[in-house]
Structures are given as C-alpha cells and as structure tokens.
Amino acid sequence: MTVGRVRNDLAPPGPPPPGFDTELDIATAFFAPNAVDRMGAIIRKGTDEVIATARTRRWTLDQCNDQEKGYLGVNIENIVRGEYDLGEGLVGMDFDVNGVDVDCKWSRNFGGWQIPPEATGHLCLLVYGDDIAGDMAVGLLRIREEILVGGNRDAKRTVQSPGGINEIRWLVQPGTPIPENFLMSLRKQDRDAIRAPRGGDARARELFIRCEGMIIYRHTIESIGQQLDEARRFRGETRQQLLEEGFEVLNGHWKADRQRAKDLGCPSLANKAQWVCLRTDGSTPARRAALDPARIAEAEAYRKLFSRQITAERRAKRQARKALKVANAQMNVIHDVAPDEDAAYAVGAVAEAETTAVRTVEQLELERLLGWTVPQ
C-alpha cells in the first residue's frame, strides 16, 4: 500500500484534518471504533498485571518497584498488539496498521511520553492512564522535530506543550475516566481482608461477600483471585456455598441472572464480564447505601492525600535537578527515571496516605454519630 507522508514544513497547527495525512487517517480509522472501552480495558489489564495482586498482595502501581513500572509500557504495547492482532512494523516501529508503521508509547504522566529518535517522521500511538488522577487519554501523533523538546541520555525527548500536544488526534479524549482500580475504591479493612487469604478461592469468596451489591468485573476477579475461569468456578461449588449462606452470585451473561439481580435491587447487571453478589433476602441495596458513603470518602481521601504527597516530591526533584544542572552543566549524572517512578518514596507515601485516609473517615463517622466536630 502506498500512502502519503506529511511534510514537516506543511504540518498544520492543531490536529491535521482528515485528508491531510493519509497514514494518520488510516491509523485513526483502525483504532477509533469503540476506542474508549477497548483502550480502557487494555490500560486496566496492563496495570493490574504489573501490580499482580494475586501473587504480591499489592493493590496500587505505586507499590511496585521502578523496574516493574518501566515494564508497564512494554506490557501495554503487547496487549494492544494482541487485542488488535497487529504484526511488527515494516520499518522498525511497534505495529503494522494496514501498511502504516505506528510506534506505541505509554506514560503515566499526561504529556510525558518518551519519544526515541527513530520515531521521528512516524506515527505514535500515545497512551496515558493514571489511577490516582482517575483519567486516561489515547491519541495519534505524527512525530516531527519541531514538536519535540528536552532529551535524556538515550536521546529520547518529550512532546512540546501546548504546541505538540495540540497536534494529537485524540481517540480517547483527555479527562476520560479510567476503568476503576477496584481495590483502590474499597476501604482498607475490606481491602486487607480480601488480600489476606493465600488461596485464590478464598480471596474470590471474600471479594464477593465484602463487595455485595457492587458490580465486579471479570478482570478484577482474575487479578485478585487468580481465577482464570471464574465463570465455571462460580457456577459450581463456591457459588453453591455462598447460596447456602444467603448470597446469590449472578452474572450478566444470563437473562435469568439479570432479572434476578433486578429483583434483588441491582438493575445495572448488563453483560458477561459483570458479576454481582446479592443477599437472597433483598437487603443488599439498604446495606450498600449505608456502607458506600464511608467507602467513597476513604477512597477519595486516599487519592487526594497521595496526590498531594507525590506532587510535592516531584516538585522537589525537579528543583534538585535544575540546581544540579546550574551547578555543573558538564556532569551528566541525572537519573533517567521519571520522578513519579521513585519506588522508594512512593511505597512509603502509599502507606502514609492509606493510614491517614482511614483516620480521616473514622473522624467523619464519629462527627456524624456525635453531632459535633472532633478537634484536629
């Protein structure tokens, strides 16, 4: 297939309109259908596989070491390749998209994609997602020298902001909610109880009981319980045991299950990827209504506290690097790892933010019960 190359000196400000860059049009048409759902699932799966809750009992990417965080970009690339059935690029990029070479770049910081010299002139699929910020974005960009800035020891550069960022053709708009990190949305007491058992069956069982009334996706069961065929398992012994204890485990694939979920107060069960555990006596909606305010408040407090801590750490690191450059511009001693990938700091910050979030919600609950404000 012969396709047109856009000339650097003719590139328009902002995203090129259809027909201006033939290769970009081809790649856009390929990735655009259902991009929010497909790319969201890819980001969630790639991140959860690196966190590896079932093996490590971790629940957030910030508990991973720098090497694991660095692998996430490779993992995202491999999952995109499998999801879209893509071969290697014809001239050295990651993907061959209907005859167009496309490189894949991941960043947990919006705009932080590291572009290698060999990608100049080619298209890049830029993927961003952050559980703490709660959003994601995916776009295609023709890489040009004029829109690249900075540079590290590998000669990788970032996309200029706002100029280069404005040229991205978005498949998933910035600010789109990312598929939820399920464990991050729970209270610490429930998260700890779910992660505690050694066996996958026990973890999955604890997951359903403690999260009754909440829609639980297949990938959550697989990542937490290490259940590779959860449909078979929960049609069998485990499902029967829960039924005997007054819990019904339902799956959106079955019409009867969808109707039963509605009867028990959960109208949103929609497809085979969704599971829900409900009390047979119909009491789950009332229990969920009582539990959710504290659960949501603790999750929001954690995200806010951790974001504040990590932002301050990144700022300090930027200032330190700038001071080092000024002090000795000839010494190339700056570490290439991005500030948000400092595992030694982040792991401690996770624990501190988690503990503080618990205390914050406990205080709010005490205030509500007593009707007065607890002194700080």
Side-chain angles (χ1 to χ4, degrees):
M1 179 185 297
T2 302
V3 293
R5 284 280 187 192
V6 63
R7 286 176 53 191
N8 288 347
D9 59 340
L10 297 180
F20 184 87
D21 185 337
T22 306
E23 290 188 339
L24 180 58
D25 292 343
I26 291 172
T28 300
F30 181 83
F31 285 112
N34 201 24
V36 172
D37 290 341
R38 294 183 78 176
M39 288 296 180
I42 287 169
I43 295 170
R44 183 76 271 145
K45 180 179 181 181
T47 305
D48 287 346
E49 286 180 352
V50 171
I51 296 172
T53 298
R55 297 188 298 273
T56 67
R57 291 182 170 82
R58 298 178 304 207
W59 54 277
T60 175
L61 188 63
D62 295 291
Q63 294 169 306
C64 300
N65 62 42
D66 294 340
Q67 185 177 11
E68 291 169 311
K69 291 175 185 175
Y71 172 71
L72 179 53
V74 177
N75 204 32
I76 294 288
E77 173 195 326
N78 288 335
I79 297 173
V80 170
R81 181 177 289 108
E83 169 70 18
Y84 288 93
D85 193 22
L86 294 169
E88 299 285 341
L90 301 177
V91 293
M93 298 297 102
D94 294 322
F95 308 137
D96 172 13
V97 179
N98 291 335
V100 178
D101 263 45
V102 178
D103 220 28
C104 183
K105 295 302 169 193
W106 157 263
S107 177
R108 197 181 175 200
N109 289 327
F110 182 79
W113 304 286
Q114 296 289 306
I115 310 300
E118 60 269 21
T120 303
H122 295 282
L123 295 178
C124 274
L125 179 71
L126 305 176
V127 186
Y128 153 80
D130 183 8
D131 281 337
I132 301 299
D135 64 354
M136 64 178 182
V138 181
L140 287 161
L141 177 66
R142 171 74 67 186
I143 302 300
R144 303 184 297 115
E145 288 286 346
E146 293 84 352
I147 61 172
L148 297 177
V149 295
N152 59 21
R153 286 178 292 184
D154 296 327
K156 292 181 179 179
R157 292 172 288 175
T158 55
V159 179
Q160 181 188 54
S161 180
I165 298 295
N166 288 341
E167 293 186 14
I168 297 172
R169 185 178 289 180
W170 294 110
L171 305 165
V172 177
Q173 288 292 327
T176 300
I178 192 172
E180 189 173 46
N181 178 328
F182 192 81
L183 285 177
M184 192 180 289
S185 75
L186 302 181
R187 301 199 66 179
K188 182 179 187 300
Q189 60 195 34
D190 293 325
R191 185 163 55 238
D192 289 348
I194 291 167
R195 295 183 301 151
R198 299 192 60 169
D201 287 355
R203 280 195 298 271
R205 171 188 167 84
E206 197 72 29
L207 170 69
F208 276 111
I209 291 177
R210 287 187 171 266
C211 300
E212 61 165 295
M214 298 175 66
I215 296 296
I216 304 174
Y217 284 83
R218 178 189 182 109
H219 69 76
T220 298
I221 300 170
E222 292 176 347
S223 63
I224 293 174
Q226 211 169 9
Q227 310 297 327
L228 299 181
D229 186 4
E230 88 290 353
R232 175 187 59 78
R233 188 177 302 278
F234 290 109
R235 283 197 299 268
E237 182 179 353
T238 302
R239 192 173 189 179
Q240 182 59 39
Q241 290 175 348
L242 289 171
L243 183 61
E244 292 170 0
E245 296 175 27
F247 295 95
E248 295 188 33
V249 177
L250 306 169
N251 179 259
H253 177 69
W254 307 103
K255 182 177 180 180
D257 278 15
R258 294 196 298 271
Q259 183 57 53
R260 181 59 175 163
K262 289 182 181 179
D263 295 342
L264 295 178
C266 178
S268 56
L269 193 64
N271 58 63
K272 65 181 181 180
Q274 297 179 339
W275 292 83
V276 69
C277 179
L278 300 164
R279 297 264 183 166
T280 299
D281 61 10
S283 64
T284 293
R287 199 182 328 278
R288 195 72 268 147
L291 294 172
D292 275 347
R295 176 184 66 83
I296 294 170
E298 187 173 313
E300 290 180 348
Y302 169 78
R303 286 184 169 94
K304 182 177 181 180
L305 291 163
F306 182 80
S307 179
R308 184 187 304 159
Q309 291 173 313
I310 207 70
T311 297
E313 175 71 4
R314 292 172 188 169
R315 185 182 302 114
K317 286 177 178 291
R318 285 196 299 269
Q319 292 172 348
R321 288 199 303 273
K322 184 181 293 186
L324 184 59
K325 286 183 179 180
V326 171
N328 192 345
Q330 302 302 315
M331 291 182 61
N332 187 17
V333 295
I334 301 174
H335 199 287
D336 286 339
V337 176
D340 69 320
E341 295 182 346
D342 185 343
Y345 172 80
V347 170
V350 166
E352 183 179 346
E354 183 182 35
T355 300
T356 304
V358 171
R359 289 200 301 264
T360 299
V361 174
E362 288 175 346
Q363 176 173 303
L364 291 174
E365 290 179 322
L366 187 57
E367 290 175 0
R368 178 180 58 81
L369 290 172
L370 299 180
W372 49 270
T373 301
V374 177
Q376 298 291 328

